[in-house]
Amino acid sequence: MKFQGFPDRAFEFYAGLEKDNSKEYWHSLKDVYDTCVRTPVEALAEALEERYGPVKVWRPQRDVRFSNDKSPYKTYQGITAGSADSIGYYAQLSAEGLRLGAGFHGGTEQLGRYREALDDDRHGPELERIVRKLERNGWSLVGERLKTRPRGFPADHPRLELLRYRSLGAERLHPPAELHGPKALDLVRKGWSGLKPLTDWLETRVSGEGRP
């Protein structure tokens, strides 16, 4: 199926799910989810695969085994694409619109490599420049972040704010009005392309596969 954007009912579906996250609500509108959410999301994923490789469409059900929140469904539909080591691109459809982003969310080894590269005066300033340009273009930095400085780094480190991140990404929200019709595909492609300098730096400096 060719991607034709997202209909208004997709956003209405998620607005309703935020108010009533129950199996009864979900099953009463399962046809709306299948037609207005799942089908266009799968078409979007297929359209992106030529440039980004396999794009995963995530399950709508939440894993509630270890969570106090037993709500059965995610209030968004997500897709991801990228390399190994938890580095790559994502998009999330919700009642708010479509949230585009990229970054890394890895474990101890990835975090160690991230901080090592950021501390290095050859590589750290490059990430600073990338981040500043993204912020000028309307992207916001996101990720798990320490309230204090990481152990072993001085309080006057020139890149302390970035060193506080345990995971790092950049994202931007596009409202429903921008997501109707095939032009939404160009919006996603342009957005992910704008994030490529960030993912390139992460793949080179943070991914175990990208390091020399």
Side-chain angles (χ1 to χ4, degrees):
M1 177 181 175
K2 187 175 181 181
F3 179 63
Q4 298 292 330
F6 295 104
D8 286 331
R9 293 200 73 189
F11 309 107
E12 294 167 2
F13 170 83
Y14 278 113
L17 185 63
E18 289 179 357
K19 297 176 181 177
D20 181 10
N21 197 318
S22 67
K23 292 183 178 179
E24 291 75 17
Y25 174 88
W26 183 275
H27 288 293
S28 70
L29 293 173
K30 178 68 163 48
D31 59 329
V32 175
Y33 170 78
D34 288 338
T35 303
C36 300
V37 177
R38 187 79 184 190
T39 296
V41 163
E42 289 178 345
L44 174 61
E46 183 177 348
L48 293 168
E49 286 186 343
E50 181 178 355
R51 183 177 302 182
Y52 293 97
V55 177
K56 180 172 182 177
V57 179
W58 289 88
R59 287 164 47 89
Q61 292 83 5
R62 296 181 64 249
D63 184 352
V64 300
R65 292 173 297 172
F66 308 107
S67 174
N68 292 327
D69 180 1
K70 299 302 181 182
S71 302
Y73 302 104
K74 300 169 186 172
T75 54
Y76 61 89
Q77 176 64 62
I79 63 173
T80 54
S83 68
D85 266 351
S86 301
I87 297 167
Y89 303 88
Y90 62 88
Q92 295 178 348
L93 182 76
S94 70
E96 294 180 293
L98 189 67
R99 191 174 300 277
L100 302 179
F104 91 98
H105 193 290
T108 303
E109 290 185 5
Q110 290 93 334
L111 177 59
R113 291 192 288 261
Y114 168 75
R115 287 180 176 162
E116 178 186 347
L118 195 53
D119 187 41
D120 191 318
D121 286 335
R122 297 171 299 169
H123 311 308
E126 181 184 4
L127 181 60
E128 279 190 305
R129 291 192 293 272
I130 291 169
V131 165
R132 283 198 297 266
K133 184 175 180 179
L134 288 173
E135 290 178 323
R136 287 197 301 270
N137 290 332
W139 298 93
S140 299
L141 289 190
V142 295
E144 184 183 356
R145 193 167 177 270
L146 295 175
K147 293 182 179 179
T148 59
R149 69 178 186 272
R151 186 178 301 173
F153 293 95
D156 61 350
H157 194 288
R159 291 175 290 282
L160 181 60
E161 293 306 309
L162 286 173
L163 283 166
R164 284 178 173 158
Y165 283 93
R166 295 181 54 84
S167 60
L168 177 71
E171 67 179 30
R172 183 167 65 196
L173 178 67
H174 294 273
E178 298 179 4
L179 303 172
H180 302 311
K183 64 180 181 180
L185 175 58
D186 292 332
L187 183 149
V188 177
R189 284 175 172 161
K190 183 177 180 180
W192 280 9
S193 292
L195 292 166
K196 190 174 185 298
L198 175 62
T199 58
D200 283 349
W201 189 94
L202 292 171
E203 287 176 355
T204 301
R205 306 300 172 197
V206 177
S207 170
E209 297 180 359
R211 290 166 63 89

